[in-house]
PDB file of all heavy atoms in Angstrom:
ATOM      1  N   ARG B   1       0.759  -1.166   0.005  1.00 92.00           N
ATOM      2  CA  ARG B   1      -0.018  -0.036   0.008  1.00 92.00           C
ATOM      3  C   ARG B   1       0.842   1.245   0.021  1.00 92.00           C
ATOM      4  O   ARG B   1       0.259   2.448   0.002  1.00 92.00           O
ATOM      5  CB  ARG B   1      -0.881  -0.045   1.171  1.00 92.00           C
ATOM      6  CG  ARG B   1      -1.772  -1.226   1.309  1.00 92.00           C
ATOM      7  CD  ARG B   1      -2.698  -1.259   2.514  1.00 92.00           C
ATOM      8  NE  ARG B   1      -3.253  -2.490   2.767  1.00 92.00           N
ATOM      9  CZ  ARG B   1      -4.075  -2.771   3.785  1.00 92.00           C
ATOM     10  NH1 ARG B   1      -4.561  -1.786   4.599  1.00 92.00           N
ATOM     11  NH2 ARG B   1      -4.567  -3.949   4.037  1.00 92.00           N
ATOM     12  N   PHE B   2       2.191   1.169   0.164  1.00 90.00           N
ATOM     13  CA  PHE B   2       3.155   2.352   0.163  1.00 90.00           C
ATOM     14  C   PHE B   2       4.244   2.107  -0.651  1.00 90.00           C
ATOM     15  O   PHE B   2       4.673   0.964  -0.964  1.00 90.00           O
ATOM     16  CB  PHE B   2       3.419   2.488   1.681  1.00 90.00           C
ATOM     17  CG  PHE B   2       2.281   2.857   2.516  1.00 90.00           C
ATOM     18  CD1 PHE B   2       1.549   1.806   3.216  1.00 90.00           C
ATOM     19  CD2 PHE B   2       1.929   4.134   2.748  1.00 90.00           C
ATOM     20  CE1 PHE B   2       0.490   2.189   4.066  1.00 90.00           C
ATOM     21  CE2 PHE B   2       0.777   4.495   3.582  1.00 90.00           C
ATOM     22  CZ  PHE B   2       0.135   3.435   4.148  1.00 90.00           C
ATOM     23  N   THR B   3       4.929   3.099  -1.057  1.00 91.00           N
ATOM     24  CA  THR B   3       6.059   2.988  -2.006  1.00 91.00           C
ATOM     25  C   THR B   3       7.348   3.419  -1.404  1.00 91.00           C
ATOM     26  O   THR B   3       8.426   2.998  -1.894  1.00 91.00           O
ATOM     27  CB  THR B   3       5.778   3.918  -3.312  1.00 91.00           C
ATOM     28  OG1 THR B   3       5.669   5.254  -2.859  1.00 91.00           O
ATOM     29  CG2 THR B   3       4.506   3.414  -4.039  1.00 91.00           C
ATOM     30  N   THR B   4       7.396   4.218  -0.262  1.00 91.00           N
ATOM     31  CA  THR B   4       8.672   4.784   0.126  1.00 91.00           C
ATOM     32  C   THR B   4       9.309   3.679   1.150  1.00 91.00           C
ATOM     33  O   THR B   4       8.598   2.955   1.817  1.00 91.00           O
ATOM     34  CB  THR B   4       8.541   6.045   0.906  1.00 91.00           C
ATOM     35  OG1 THR B   4       7.624   5.899   1.993  1.00 91.00           O
ATOM     36  CG2 THR B   4       7.997   7.097  -0.035  1.00 91.00           C
ATOM     37  N   ARG B   5      10.584   3.878   1.272  1.00 86.00           N
ATOM     38  CA  ARG B   5      11.391   2.833   2.127  1.00 86.00           C
ATOM     39  C   ARG B   5      10.981   3.057   3.593  1.00 86.00           C
ATOM     40  O   ARG B   5      10.743   2.098   4.335  1.00 86.00           O
ATOM     41  CB  ARG B   5      12.872   3.024   1.970  1.00 86.00           C
ATOM     42  CG  ARG B   5      13.689   2.215   2.864  1.00 86.00           C
ATOM     43  CD  ARG B   5      15.304   2.310   2.536  1.00 86.00           C
ATOM     44  NE  ARG B   5      16.076   1.528   3.312  1.00 86.00           N
ATOM     45  CZ  ARG B   5      16.664   1.921   4.479  1.00 86.00           C
ATOM     46  NH1 ARG B   5      16.507   3.179   4.822  1.00 86.00           N
ATOM     47  NH2 ARG B   5      17.445   1.124   5.181  1.00 86.00           N
ATOM     48  N   GLY B   6      10.886   4.327   4.102  1.00 87.00           N
ATOM     49  CA  GLY B   6      10.483   4.500   5.374  1.00 87.00           C
ATOM     50  C   GLY B   6       9.141   4.075   5.778  1.00 87.00           C
ATOM     51  O   GLY B   6       8.916   3.434   6.771  1.00 87.00           O
ATOM     52  N   ALA B   7       8.142   4.325   4.948  1.00 90.00           N
ATOM     53  CA  ALA B   7       6.754   3.738   5.155  1.00 90.00           C
ATOM     54  C   ALA B   7       6.796   2.244   5.386  1.00 90.00           C
ATOM     55  O   ALA B   7       6.139   1.674   6.240  1.00 90.00           O
ATOM     56  CB  ALA B   7       5.839   4.288   4.220  1.00 90.00           C
ATOM     57  N   ARG B   8       7.441   1.620   4.402  1.00 86.00           N
ATOM     58  CA  ARG B   8       7.474   0.140   4.333  1.00 86.00           C
ATOM     59  C   ARG B   8       8.173  -0.450   5.574  1.00 86.00           C
ATOM     60  O   ARG B   8       7.866  -1.441   6.109  1.00 86.00           O
ATOM     61  CB  ARG B   8       8.063  -0.363   3.089  1.00 86.00           C
ATOM     62  CG  ARG B   8       7.166  -0.195   1.807  1.00 86.00           C
ATOM     63  CD  ARG B   8       7.904  -0.642   0.541  1.00 86.00           C
ATOM     64  NE  ARG B   8       6.906  -0.677  -0.558  1.00 86.00           N
ATOM     65  CZ  ARG B   8       7.177  -0.993  -1.749  1.00 86.00           C
ATOM     66  NH1 ARG B   8       8.438  -1.396  -2.043  1.00 86.00           N
ATOM     67  NH2 ARG B   8       6.251  -1.120  -2.741  1.00 86.00           N
ATOM     68  N   HIS B   9       9.232   0.243   5.993  1.00 83.00           N
ATOM     69  CA  HIS B   9       9.975  -0.177   7.200  1.00 83.00           C
ATOM     70  C   HIS B   9       9.111  -0.057   8.473  1.00 83.00           C
ATOM     71  O   HIS B   9       9.152  -0.997   9.319  1.00 83.00           O
ATOM     72  CB  HIS B   9      11.304   0.510   7.285  1.00 83.00           C
ATOM     73  CG  HIS B   9      12.201   0.108   8.348  1.00 83.00           C
ATOM     74  ND1 HIS B   9      12.256   0.530   9.676  1.00 83.00           N
ATOM     75  CD2 HIS B   9      13.170  -0.826   8.183  1.00 83.00           C
ATOM     76  CE1 HIS B   9      13.174  -0.110  10.332  1.00 83.00           C
ATOM     77  NE2 HIS B   9      13.835  -0.987   9.456  1.00 83.00           N
ATOM     78  N   ILE B  10       8.461   1.081   8.574  1.00 86.00           N
ATOM     79  CA  ILE B  10       7.530   1.299   9.679  1.00 86.00           C
ATOM     80  C   ILE B  10       6.461   0.195   9.765  1.00 86.00           C
ATOM     81  O   ILE B  10       6.182  -0.352  10.850  1.00 86.00           O
ATOM     82  CB  ILE B  10       6.880   2.640   9.550  1.00 86.00           C
ATOM     83  CG1 ILE B  10       7.892   3.766   9.860  1.00 86.00           C
ATOM     84  CG2 ILE B  10       5.734   2.732  10.616  1.00 86.00           C
ATOM     85  CD1 ILE B  10       7.330   5.098   9.392  1.00 86.00           C
ATOM     86  N   ILE B  11       5.996  -0.168   8.673  1.00 86.00           N
ATOM     87  CA  ILE B  11       4.869  -1.116   8.591  1.00 86.00           C
ATOM     88  C   ILE B  11       5.376  -2.525   8.860  1.00 86.00           C
ATOM     89  O   ILE B  11       4.803  -3.226   9.764  1.00 86.00           O
ATOM     90  CB  ILE B  11       4.112  -1.048   7.169  1.00 86.00           C
ATOM     91  CG1 ILE B  11       3.386   0.250   7.073  1.00 86.00           C
ATOM     92  CG2 ILE B  11       3.161  -2.216   7.037  1.00 86.00           C
ATOM     93  CD1 ILE B  11       3.030   0.612   5.668  1.00 86.00           C
ATOM     94  N   SER B  12       6.290  -3.001   8.017  1.00 86.00           N
ATOM     95  CA  SER B  12       6.643  -4.350   8.068  1.00 86.00           C
ATOM     96  C   SER B  12       7.162  -4.892   9.395  1.00 86.00           C
ATOM     97  O   SER B  12       6.817  -5.914   9.886  1.00 86.00           O
ATOM     98  CB  SER B  12       7.678  -4.741   6.956  1.00 86.00           C
ATOM     99  OG  SER B  12       8.892  -3.971   7.207  1.00 86.00           O
ATOM    100  N   HIS B  13       8.019  -4.098  10.058  1.00 88.00           N
ATOM    101  CA  HIS B  13       8.718  -4.524  11.266  1.00 88.00           C
ATOM    102  C   HIS B  13       7.646  -4.660  12.432  1.00 88.00           C
ATOM    103  O   HIS B  13       7.692  -5.626  13.174  1.00 88.00           O
ATOM    104  CB  HIS B  13       9.813  -3.630  11.680  1.00 88.00           C
ATOM    105  CG  HIS B  13      11.041  -3.872  10.875  1.00 88.00           C
ATOM    106  ND1 HIS B  13      11.132  -3.772   9.426  1.00 88.00           N
ATOM    107  CD2 HIS B  13      12.327  -4.302  11.328  1.00 88.00           C
ATOM    108  CE1 HIS B  13      12.368  -4.101   9.089  1.00 88.00           C
ATOM    109  NE2 HIS B  13      13.142  -4.453  10.183  1.00 88.00           N
ATOM    110  N   THR B  14       6.885  -3.720  12.541  1.00 93.00           N
ATOM    111  CA  THR B  14       5.821  -3.707  13.702  1.00 93.00           C
ATOM    112  C   THR B  14       4.620  -4.553  13.335  1.00 93.00           C
ATOM    113  O   THR B  14       4.181  -5.427  14.055  1.00 93.00           O
ATOM    114  CB  THR B  14       5.343  -2.302  14.022  1.00 93.00           C
ATOM    115  OG1 THR B  14       6.589  -1.594  14.350  1.00 93.00           O
ATOM    116  CG2 THR B  14       4.397  -2.394  15.166  1.00 93.00           C
ATOM    117  N   LEU B  15       4.035  -4.538  12.169  1.00 95.00           N
ATOM    118  CA  LEU B  15       2.709  -5.184  11.926  1.00 95.00           C
ATOM    119  C   LEU B  15       3.059  -6.745  11.744  1.00 95.00           C
ATOM    120  O   LEU B  15       2.250  -7.552  12.162  1.00 95.00           O
ATOM    121  CB  LEU B  15       2.129  -4.669  10.585  1.00 95.00           C
ATOM    122  CG  LEU B  15       1.520  -3.184  10.730  1.00 95.00           C
ATOM    123  CD1 LEU B  15       0.685  -2.900   9.619  1.00 95.00           C
ATOM    124  CD2 LEU B  15       0.790  -3.036  12.004  1.00 95.00           C
ATOM    125  N   GLU B  16       4.143  -7.088  11.189  1.00 95.00           N
ATOM    126  CA  GLU B  16       4.490  -8.499  11.066  1.00 95.00           C
ATOM    127  C   GLU B  16       4.646  -9.103  12.467  1.00 95.00           C
ATOM    128  O   GLU B  16       4.369 -10.274  12.763  1.00 95.00           O
ATOM    129  CB  GLU B  16       5.737  -8.720  10.148  1.00 95.00           C
ATOM    130  CG  GLU B  16       5.400  -8.673   8.697  1.00 95.00           C
ATOM    131  CD  GLU B  16       4.555  -9.870   8.148  1.00 95.00           C
ATOM    132  OE1 GLU B  16       4.405 -10.846   8.897  1.00 95.00           O
ATOM    133  OE2 GLU B  16       4.067  -9.719   7.098  1.00 95.00           O
ATOM    134  N   MET B  17       5.236  -8.261  13.342  1.00 96.00           N
ATOM    135  CA  MET B  17       5.522  -8.768  14.744  1.00 96.00           C
ATOM    136  C   MET B  17       4.193  -8.928  15.486  1.00 96.00           C
ATOM    137  O   MET B  17       3.968  -9.849  16.282  1.00 96.00           O
ATOM    138  CB  MET B  17       6.430  -7.864  15.502  1.00 96.00           C
ATOM    139  CG  MET B  17       7.195  -8.549  16.612  1.00 96.00           C
ATOM    140  SD  MET B  17       8.144  -9.863  16.073  1.00 96.00           S
ATOM    141  CE  MET B  17       9.453  -9.048  15.225  1.00 96.00           C
ATOM    142  N   MET B  18       3.192  -7.912  15.209  1.00 97.00           N
ATOM    143  CA  MET B  18       1.950  -8.084  15.866  1.00 97.00           C
ATOM    144  C   MET B  18       1.133  -9.362  15.400  1.00 97.00           C
ATOM    145  O   MET B  18       0.582 -10.050  16.274  1.00 97.00           O
ATOM    146  CB  MET B  18       1.159  -6.825  15.550  1.00 97.00           C
ATOM    147  CG  MET B  18       1.587  -5.562  16.126  1.00 97.00           C
ATOM    148  SD  MET B  18       0.748  -4.105  15.553  1.00 97.00           S
ATOM    149  CE  MET B  18      -0.757  -4.167  16.654  1.00 97.00           C
ATOM    150  N   LEU B  19       1.311  -9.671  14.191  1.00 97.00           N
ATOM    151  CA  LEU B  19       0.749 -10.906  13.678  1.00 97.00           C
ATOM    152  C   LEU B  19       1.440 -12.158  14.255  1.00 97.00           C
ATOM    153  O   LEU B  19       0.769 -13.199  14.564  1.00 97.00           O
ATOM    154  CB  LEU B  19       0.639 -10.864  12.110  1.00 97.00           C
ATOM    155  CG  LEU B  19      -0.124  -9.853  11.509  1.00 97.00           C
ATOM    156  CD1 LEU B  19      -0.013  -9.898  10.007  1.00 97.00           C
ATOM    157  CD2 LEU B  19      -1.580  -9.855  11.861  1.00 97.00           C
ATOM    158  N   ALA B  20       2.698 -12.036  14.434  1.00 98.00           N
ATOM    159  CA  ALA B  20       3.446 -13.200  15.043  1.00 98.00           C
ATOM    160  C   ALA B  20       3.036 -13.426  16.422  1.00 98.00           C
ATOM    161  O   ALA B  20       2.893 -14.418  16.944  1.00 98.00           O
ATOM    162  CB  ALA B  20       4.995 -12.984  14.973  1.00 98.00           C
ATOM    163  N   ALA B  21       2.825 -12.202  17.199  1.00 98.00           N
ATOM    164  CA  ALA B  21       2.372 -12.291  18.611  1.00 98.00           C
ATOM    165  C   ALA B  21       1.001 -13.016  18.556  1.00 98.00           C
ATOM    166  O   ALA B  21       0.664 -13.734  19.441  1.00 98.00           O
ATOM    167  CB  ALA B  21       2.313 -10.937  19.203  1.00 98.00           C
ATOM    168  N   MET B  22       0.168 -12.620  17.703  1.00 98.00           N
ATOM    169  CA  MET B  22      -1.176 -13.251  17.550  1.00 98.00           C
ATOM    170  C   MET B  22      -0.994 -14.760  17.326  1.00 98.00           C
ATOM    171  O   MET B  22      -1.735 -15.608  18.001  1.00 98.00           O
ATOM    172  CB  MET B  22      -2.023 -12.643  16.397  1.00 98.00           C
ATOM    173  CG  MET B  22      -2.756 -11.247  16.719  1.00 98.00           C
ATOM    174  SD  MET B  22      -4.256 -11.670  17.626  1.00 98.00           S
ATOM    175  CE  MET B  22      -5.259 -12.660  16.491  1.00 98.00           C
ATOM    176  N   SER B  23      -0.065 -15.085  16.510  1.00 98.00           N
ATOM    177  CA  SER B  23       0.129 -16.495  16.163  1.00 98.00           C
ATOM    178  C   SER B  23       0.597 -17.300  17.372  1.00 98.00           C
ATOM    179  O   SER B  23      -0.051 -18.413  17.656  1.00 98.00           O
ATOM    180  CB  SER B  23       1.157 -16.554  15.059  1.00 98.00           C
ATOM    181  OG  SER B  23       1.296 -17.968  14.623  1.00 98.00           O
ATOM    182  N   VAL B  24       1.536 -16.835  18.119  1.00 98.00           N
ATOM    183  CA  VAL B  24       2.096 -17.651  19.216  1.00 98.00           C
ATOM    184  C   VAL B  24       1.263 -17.538  20.504  1.00 98.00           C
ATOM    185  O   VAL B  24       1.275 -18.446  21.238  1.00 98.00           O
ATOM    186  CB  VAL B  24       3.583 -17.305  19.444  1.00 98.00           C
ATOM    187  CG1 VAL B  24       4.467 -17.556  18.303  1.00 98.00           C
ATOM    188  CG2 VAL B  24       3.773 -15.910  19.956  1.00 98.00           C
ATOM    189  N   ILE B  25       0.579 -16.316  20.659  1.00 98.00           N
ATOM    190  CA  ILE B  25      -0.248 -16.246  21.822  1.00 98.00           C
ATOM    191  C   ILE B  25      -1.676 -16.594  21.638  1.00 98.00           C
ATOM    192  O   ILE B  25      -2.097 -17.566  22.266  1.00 98.00           O
ATOM    193  CB  ILE B  25      -0.162 -14.768  22.391  1.00 98.00           C
ATOM    194  CG1 ILE B  25       1.282 -14.395  22.786  1.00 98.00           C
ATOM    195  CG2 ILE B  25      -1.118 -14.608  23.630  1.00 98.00           C
ATOM    196  CD1 ILE B  25       1.541 -12.912  23.181  1.00 98.00           C
ATOM    197  N   TRP B  26      -2.382 -15.981  20.838  1.00 98.00           N
ATOM    198  CA  TRP B  26      -3.873 -16.276  20.620  1.00 98.00           C
ATOM    199  C   TRP B  26      -4.085 -17.631  19.930  1.00 98.00           C
ATOM    200  O   TRP B  26      -5.023 -18.383  20.355  1.00 98.00           O
ATOM    201  CB  TRP B  26      -4.471 -15.164  19.725  1.00 98.00           C
ATOM    202  CG  TRP B  26      -5.959 -15.402  19.538  1.00 98.00           C
ATOM    203  CD1 TRP B  26      -6.593 -15.890  18.463  1.00 98.00           C
ATOM    204  CD2 TRP B  26      -6.956 -15.012  20.571  1.00 98.00           C
ATOM    205  NE1 TRP B  26      -8.019 -15.943  18.634  1.00 98.00           N
ATOM    206  CE2 TRP B  26      -8.217 -15.415  19.872  1.00 98.00           C
ATOM    207  CE3 TRP B  26      -6.932 -14.434  21.714  1.00 98.00           C
ATOM    208  CZ2 TRP B  26      -9.431 -15.252  20.564  1.00 98.00           C
ATOM    209  CZ3 TRP B  26      -8.203 -14.258  22.386  1.00 98.00           C
ATOM    210  CH2 TRP B  26      -9.360 -14.568  21.839  1.00 98.00           C
ATOM    211  N   GLU B  27      -3.176 -18.114  19.023  1.00 98.00           N
ATOM    212  CA  GLU B  27      -3.465 -19.294  18.396  1.00 98.00           C
ATOM    213  C   GLU B  27      -2.743 -20.473  19.180  1.00 98.00           C
ATOM    214  O   GLU B  27      -2.743 -21.664  18.711  1.00 98.00           O
ATOM    215  CB  GLU B  27      -2.906 -19.257  17.020  1.00 98.00           C
ATOM    216  CG  GLU B  27      -3.591 -18.314  16.160  1.00 98.00           C
ATOM    217  CD  GLU B  27      -5.023 -18.800  15.831  1.00 98.00           C
ATOM    218  OE1 GLU B  27      -5.355 -19.917  15.967  1.00 98.00           O
ATOM    219  OE2 GLU B  27      -5.847 -17.885  15.391  1.00 98.00           O
ATOM    220  N   GLY B  28      -2.204 -20.294  20.392  1.00 98.00           N
ATOM    221  CA  GLY B  28      -2.024 -21.433  21.366  1.00 98.00           C
ATOM    222  C   GLY B  28      -0.591 -21.809  21.429  1.00 98.00           C
ATOM    223  O   GLY B  28      -0.408 -22.906  22.147  1.00 98.00           O
ATOM    224  N   VAL B  29       0.404 -21.416  20.781  1.00 98.00           N
ATOM    225  CA  VAL B  29       1.847 -21.939  20.844  1.00 98.00           C
ATOM    226  C   VAL B  29       2.228 -21.879  22.319  1.00 98.00           C
ATOM    227  O   VAL B  29       2.755 -22.834  22.850  1.00 98.00           O
ATOM    228  CB  VAL B  29       2.661 -21.177  19.896  1.00 98.00           C
ATOM    229  CG1 VAL B  29       4.177 -21.647  20.175  1.00 98.00           C
ATOM    230  CG2 VAL B  29       2.371 -21.451  18.499  1.00 98.00           C
ATOM    231  N   CYS B  30       2.083 -20.673  22.907  1.00 98.00           N
ATOM    232  CA  CYS B  30       2.559 -20.545  24.287  1.00 98.00           C
ATOM    233  C   CYS B  30       1.705 -21.359  25.275  1.00 98.00           C
ATOM    234  O   CYS B  30       2.388 -21.918  26.227  1.00 98.00           O
ATOM    235  CB  CYS B  30       2.367 -18.984  24.689  1.00 98.00           C
ATOM    236  SG  CYS B  30       3.512 -17.803  23.813  1.00 98.00           S
ATOM    237  N   ASP B  31       0.392 -21.518  24.968  1.00 98.00           N
ATOM    238  CA  ASP B  31      -0.404 -22.347  25.920  1.00 98.00           C
ATOM    239  C   ASP B  31       0.045 -23.811  25.854  1.00 98.00           C
ATOM    240  O   ASP B  31       0.109 -24.364  26.881  1.00 98.00           O
ATOM    241  CB  ASP B  31      -1.830 -22.150  25.492  1.00 98.00           C
ATOM    242  CG  ASP B  31      -2.905 -22.454  26.617  1.00 98.00           C
ATOM    243  OD1 ASP B  31      -2.497 -22.161  27.807  1.00 98.00           O
ATOM    244  OD2 ASP B  31      -3.956 -22.720  26.323  1.00 98.00           O
ATOM    245  N   LYS B  32       0.219 -24.288  24.622  1.00 98.00           N
ATOM    246  CA  LYS B  32       0.699 -25.663  24.388  1.00 98.00           C
ATOM    247  C   LYS B  32       2.085 -25.955  24.777  1.00 98.00           C
ATOM    248  O   LYS B  32       2.472 -27.109  25.147  1.00 98.00           O
ATOM    249  CB  LYS B  32       0.317 -26.085  23.001  1.00 98.00           C
ATOM    250  CG  LYS B  32      -1.117 -26.051  22.580  1.00 98.00           C
ATOM    251  CD  LYS B  32      -1.157 -26.265  21.095  1.00 98.00           C
ATOM    252  CE  LYS B  32      -2.686 -26.082  20.617  1.00 98.00           C
ATOM    253  NZ  LYS B  32      -2.757 -26.031  19.144  1.00 98.00           N
ATOM    254  N   HIS B  33       2.905 -24.938  24.865  1.00 98.00           N
ATOM    255  CA  HIS B  33       4.317 -25.076  25.109  1.00 98.00           C
ATOM    256  C   HIS B  33       4.738 -24.174  26.350  1.00 98.00           C
ATOM    257  O   HIS B  33       5.368 -23.206  26.030  1.00 98.00           O
ATOM    258  CB  HIS B  33       5.166 -24.930  23.918  1.00 98.00           C
ATOM    259  CG  HIS B  33       4.759 -25.763  22.722  1.00 98.00           C
ATOM    260  ND1 HIS B  33       5.227 -27.092  22.621  1.00 98.00           N
ATOM    261  CD2 HIS B  33       3.978 -25.609  21.737  1.00 98.00           C
ATOM    262  CE1 HIS B  33       4.741 -27.659  21.590  1.00 98.00           C
ATOM    263  NE2 HIS B  33       3.895 -26.773  21.002  1.00 98.00           N
TER     264      HIS B  33
END
């Protein structure tokens, strides 16, 4: 959705980590392990 390096860096690093947190917390990795 964005073309500049700064915007893409802001988005990718934080939003991918938020989704990873969803994956390991909400989807049960931490609970099962």
Side-chain angles (χ1 to χ4, degrees):
R1 305 181 195 182
F2 298 85
T3 58
T4 63
R5 179 175 181 263
R8 288 179 168 181
H9 190 269
I10 291 167
I11 293 164
S12 64
H13 280 60
T14 299
L15 296 190
E16 282 293 346
M17 203 62 68
M18 293 175 78
L19 296 178
M22 276 284 294
S23 184
V24 299
I25 297 174
W26 183 260
E27 295 291 344
V29 172
C30 294
D31 206 26
K32 295 171 185 172
H33 302 278

